[in-house]
Amino acid sequence: MKKTAESSTVVGALIITIMFAAAFTVPGGNEENSGYPIFLPKKPIPFMVFIVSDAISLFTASSSVLMFLGILTSRYDYEDFLRSLPTKLIIGISSLFISIATMMTAFCAALFIMLPGRLEVVIPITLFASIPITFFGWLQFPLLVEICTSTFRREIFQEKKKSFLERWFHLFCEITIALPMAIMGKN
């Protein structure tokens, strides 16, 4: 868990850096006088897709880094391993996946903005950009499912509640076996 959190923190920090820089260096640049993005009035829908996906990627990468830092700075108590740490890992991996997916969406939207009318270039690059997302999801999904099932299906680790007869039988055994042995041990 610690190694996964360390590696994912580095990836999340890189995504935060890239997405923060991309928010201020928009495709096409800004107008000199007003400071507004040049492509905003020319291509409003692809530009809004770029900005929204960039913002979502930045926020989800930030939340994933915070979750992974929460894992790394945990006290690692027994109780933490049952619920707290796995939940943080689930949130961290999920938000990192969303961050990578929206980062690629921002990249594809920027390509669409910068290469108008060149769909023969944009479409293959967009398809190739989806390969890392698919690969990451394919590798991390079994881990995510295993963590979710072991965290939220804890019944196998909890002690089963005893029925009325089982409690009375347990009390009877303690009285008839343990009590006489304790008395005999004191003599």
Side-chain angles (χ1 to χ4, degrees), residues 28-39 41-42:
N30 297 327
E31 290 181 7
E32 205 169 297
N33 297 333
S34 65
Y36 290 115
I38 292 173
F39 283 120
K42 296 176 184 174

Side-chain angles (χ1 to χ4, degrees), residues 52-131:
V52 169
S53 61
D54 183 75
I56 292 171
S57 180
L58 179 66
F59 297 144
T60 54
S62 299
S63 66
S64 74
V65 166
L66 290 174
M67 287 296 117
F68 293 130
L69 286 176
I71 291 171
L72 293 173
T73 58
S74 176
R75 60 190 171 148
Y76 297 108
D77 192 30
Y78 172 75
E79 292 295 320
D80 291 343
F81 283 99
L82 290 177
R83 191 66 111 185
S84 173
L85 291 175
T87 303
K88 288 177 184 176
L89 189 62
I90 291 167
I91 294 170
I93 290 174
S94 300
S95 59
L96 186 62
F97 178 75
I98 293 169
S99 175
I100 292 171
T102 53
M103 178 181 66
M104 288 304 187
T105 304
F107 170 74
C108 295
L111 278 178
F112 190 77
I113 292 168
M114 297 303 293
L115 300 172
R118 300 292 310 249
L119 292 179
E120 68 276 359
V121 175
V122 173
I123 291 175
I125 292 174
T126 302
L127 292 176
F128 283 125
S130 66
I131 291 173

